[in-house]
């Protein structure tokens, strides 16, 4: 019997490629670049199953054209790139990769948080420039992180992993989301706040909500004006949750002290006034970029695909 056909929109790490080559017939050899919308649609139309990434915009037209396709396994935990309503209407299963990237993304959030508060990138540039004249009492003074107030917007899987790491820094953890967590699910002393109160009280604010119509521009000019002028904003969730134009204004005027970004409104394009700002650290969307997480994400996709092709429920079907 012929193996099922699989469309892979991107080349995945080798351990995952070895498994998919063994189990499926690939529609085509995947490249390490984003496919054009036409190539993406053509690939999806030829496949029984597909693994797609967050850069692939999968709209209603594509979903309805890909009549053979049974499952779209998104190689990410966020799935804002897929028209879920259209998928549901056509009975197409969509899955994501929760949990396996939680630690990697929480670690990266902390790396970005510390790098932003302690001016790590500026320090590296100074040493490399050859202009460093030696230790100075006034050089590259940053902000203390230990003992400060950390505000987490979205205390889900990644938000909680970030909060747990804050224990080692003796931080007070505030959080905001739609439903406060119950004492049973939260043995920690994490305090619920309205968005307004969290932004007013926090020294560092970090965003971990999914991108949905409700969270689009959740942080705009008004919200930034509620933050302390000494506070930092960290975003490793999705770019459009922050109004990037308003963020640039707030950083330029000193409404807030700095920002650490892993994601952008129009990525990979960058707001032209962001890059000259030294108080901003810019990463290329590497939240889940450890070999371990990326391999596990691939294996999660394969598990979900196998389940659907075998007629079983997919373990990570969205929405749950
Ligand atoms: P999760 O477990 O579903 O947590 C999401 C949290 O957001 C929940 O606590 C939820 O609580 C809250 N939330 C949802 N809608 C909200 C709203 N309208 N207002 C306020 N809070 C809201 O998701 P996760 O696994 O932690 O992942 C979070 C996001 O991180 C993903 O969706 C993805 O976009 C992003 N991510 C980025 C990278 C990267 O490479 N940079 C890597 C992994 C994940 P309520 O339902 O109670 O509101």
């Amino acid at each position: 019997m012929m193996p099922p056909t699989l469309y892979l929109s991107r080349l995945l790490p080798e351990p995952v490629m070895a498994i998919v080559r063994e189990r499926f017939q690939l529609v085509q050899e995947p490249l390490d670049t984003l496919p054009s919308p036409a190539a993406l649609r053509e690939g999806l139309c030829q496949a029984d199953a597909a693994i797609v990434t967050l850069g692939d915009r999968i709209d209603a037209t594509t979903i309805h054209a890909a009549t053979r396709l049974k499952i779209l396994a998104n190689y990410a935990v966020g799935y804002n790139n897929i028209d879920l309503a259209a998928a549901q209407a056509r009975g197409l299963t969509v899955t994501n990769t929760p949990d396996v990237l939680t630690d990697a993304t929480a670690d990266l959030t902390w790396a970005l948080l510390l790098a932003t508060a302690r001016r790590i990138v500026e320090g590296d540039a100074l040493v490399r420039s050859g202009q460093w004249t030696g230790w100075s009492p006034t050089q590259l003074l940053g902000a203390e992180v230990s003992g400060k107030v950390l505000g987490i917007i979205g205390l889900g899987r990644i938000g909680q992993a970030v909060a747990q790491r804050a224990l080692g820094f003796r931080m007070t953890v505030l959080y905001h989301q739609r439903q406060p967590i119950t004492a049973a699910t939260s043995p920690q002393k994490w305090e619920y706040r309205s968005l307004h109160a969290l932004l007013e009280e926090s020294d560092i604010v970090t965003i971990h909500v999914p991108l949905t119509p409700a969270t689009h521009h959740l942080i705009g000019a008004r919200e930034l004006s509620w933050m302390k002028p000494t506070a930092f904003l960290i975003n490793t969730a999705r770019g459009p949750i922050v109004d990037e134009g308003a963020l640039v204004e707030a950083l330029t005027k000193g409404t807030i002290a700095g920002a650490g970004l892993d994601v952008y409104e129009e990525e990979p394009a960058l707001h032209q006034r962001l890059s000259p700002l030294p108080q901003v650290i810019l990463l290329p969307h590497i939240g889940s970029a450890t070999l371990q997480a990326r391999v596990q994400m691939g294996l999660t996709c394969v598990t979900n695909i196998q389940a659907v092709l075998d007629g079983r429920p997919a373990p990570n079907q969205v929405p749950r």
Side-chain angles (χ1 to χ4, degrees), residues 22 40 63 66 76 98 117 130 135-136 139 152 181-182 200 211 267-268 286 298 320:
E22 197 181 284
L40 174 67
I63 285 171
W135 188 90
S136 149
Q139 194 172 67
I152 301 183
I181 51 181
T182 61
E200 275 188 343
L211 174 60
E267 65 184 63
I286 53 170
R320 296 202 75 80

Side-chain angles (χ1 to χ4, degrees), residues 77 105 156-158 177-179 208-210 236 238 262 285 287:
V77 66
T105 310
R157 288 172 291 247
I158 297 168
Q177 58 188 15
R178 292 166 302 180
Q179 290 293 321
H208 301 287
V209 293
T236 62
R238 285 289 182 268
D262 186 40
H285 202 148

Side-chain angles (χ1 to χ4, degrees), residues 130-190:
Q131 306 298 308
W132 183 44
T133 52
W135 188 90
S136 149
T138 56
Q139 194 172 67
L140 285 176
L141 302 184
E144 195 99 3
V145 170
S146 295
K148 295 297 172 67
V149 179
L150 178 66
I152 301 183
I153 304 178
L155 197 69
R157 288 172 291 247
I158 297 168
Q160 292 195 25
V162 168
Q164 278 154 0
R165 285 153 175 74
L167 272 177
F169 290 84
R170 303 186 315 280
M171 297 181 90
T172 299
V173 174
L174 311 179
Y175 75 97
H176 173 77
Q177 58 188 15
R178 292 166 302 180
Q179 290 293 321
I181 51 181
T182 61
T185 53
S186 166
Q188 317 281 350
K189 277 178 62 186
W190 297 326

Side-chain angles (χ1 to χ4, degrees), residues 5 7 27 38-48 61-69:
T5 52
Y7 173 68
V27 166
L40 174 67
R41 186 175 302 178
E42 198 186 311
L44 291 172
C45 285
Q46 295 175 57
D48 299 310
T61 316
T62 302
I63 285 171
H64 291 295
T67 49
R68 176 174 173 175
L69 194 66

Side-chain angles (χ1 to χ4, degrees), residues 13-16 75 97-105 107 165 286-300:
E14 192 42 46
V16 184
Y75 188 76
T97 63
D99 302 317
V100 293
L101 44 53
T102 295
D103 281 333
T105 310
D107 290 349
R165 285 153 175 74
I286 53 170
S288 68
T290 66
L291 179 61
Q292 180 178 320
R294 292 283 168 87
V295 169
Q296 291 303 320
M297 288 161 68
L299 298 182
T300 302

Side-chain angles (χ1 to χ4, degrees), residues 223-237:
E223 290 73 21
L224 290 161
S225 76
W226 293 337
M227 290 176 67
K228 299 178 186 182
T230 49
F232 296 91
L233 180 69
I234 309 298
N235 186 9
T236 62

